[in-house]
Amino acid sequence: MALAKQSQNSRPIFPKSFLLLVGALLIASVTIVVFNTSPGTHFQDRLALGEAVQEREIVISQKGMGVIDIFDAQTGAKIAVFNDKKGGFVRGAMPALKRLRLVNDVPQDEPYRLVQWESGGLTLEDTAVKKRFYLNAFGKDNAASFASLL
């Protein structure tokens, strides 16, 4: 009997106003994430990178062991050839780029988009998978190997 009276007089652990506030914050957080990461928005990119200064769509083709040909996607002209002595970062990135497309079941010959931004940033966008890679994060020399393709 004493337990029944005690539970009737006890207060809830969390007040109703606190639970409503937590719920509102949760809804706001989910809304911000959904709208900020929707395809084509890139709100944070526009703030951090500015406008595109130069861009080029490229097709990367790997022949045999370590030889990579880079073509302009628009004209089909060969831009560069990287063998085992050249383009170490480009060649090193190939397994990860190929795997990403393999996992997502998209063709390997779809173009990538290289973009030089007014902030100095350089990105490589996988047009087939809709992923963007910030090449400056890998160091100045590594980014320069891709920048030479512009």
Side-chain angles (χ1 to χ4, degrees):
M1 179 111 172
L3 287 176
K5 284 184 181 178
Q6 193 177 25
S7 65
Q8 289 175 353
N9 293 335
S10 65
R11 292 183 177 195
I13 295 174
F14 297 109
K16 187 176 183 180
S17 60
F18 176 75
L19 293 175
L20 289 173
L21 177 65
V22 168
L25 286 173
L26 182 62
I27 290 170
S29 298
V30 169
T31 302
I32 288 169
V33 168
V34 166
F35 284 108
N36 201 24
T37 58
S38 62
T41 304
H42 303 296
F43 177 71
Q44 289 179 331
D45 290 347
R46 285 195 306 270
L47 288 177
L49 299 172
E51 297 295 319
V53 175
Q54 187 178 10
E55 64 182 87
R56 182 183 223 174
E57 288 195 355
I58 60 172
V59 175
I60 303 173
S61 173
Q62 187 166 6
K63 300 186 312 186
M65 290 294 290
V67 178
I68 296 175
D69 292 329
I70 312 288
F71 299 92
D72 183 294
Q74 303 298 324
T75 65
K78 190 181 285 189
I79 302 168
V81 177
F82 295 126
N83 56 28
D84 60 346
K85 294 179 176 83
K86 283 179 48 181
F89 182 64
V90 176
R91 285 185 301 104
M94 278 306 298
L97 295 172
K98 287 177 71 170
R99 185 180 186 294
L100 184 62
R101 288 187 170 187
L102 186 66
V103 167
N104 286 284
D105 196 31
V106 295
Q108 294 292 331
D109 59 351
E110 290 291 315
Y112 293 90
R113 182 176 299 116
L114 266 174
V115 182
Q116 180 72 54
W117 300 92
E118 69 183 353
S119 67
L122 181 68
T123 59
L124 178 70
E125 299 174 28
D126 187 330
T127 61
V129 180
K130 308 291 188 244
K131 294 273 186 195
R132 180 178 287 176
F133 305 98
Y134 299 90
L135 299 174
N136 299 76
F138 297 100
K140 182 175 61 171
D141 293 338
N142 289 332
S145 63
F146 271 100
S148 69
L149 302 173
L150 285 169

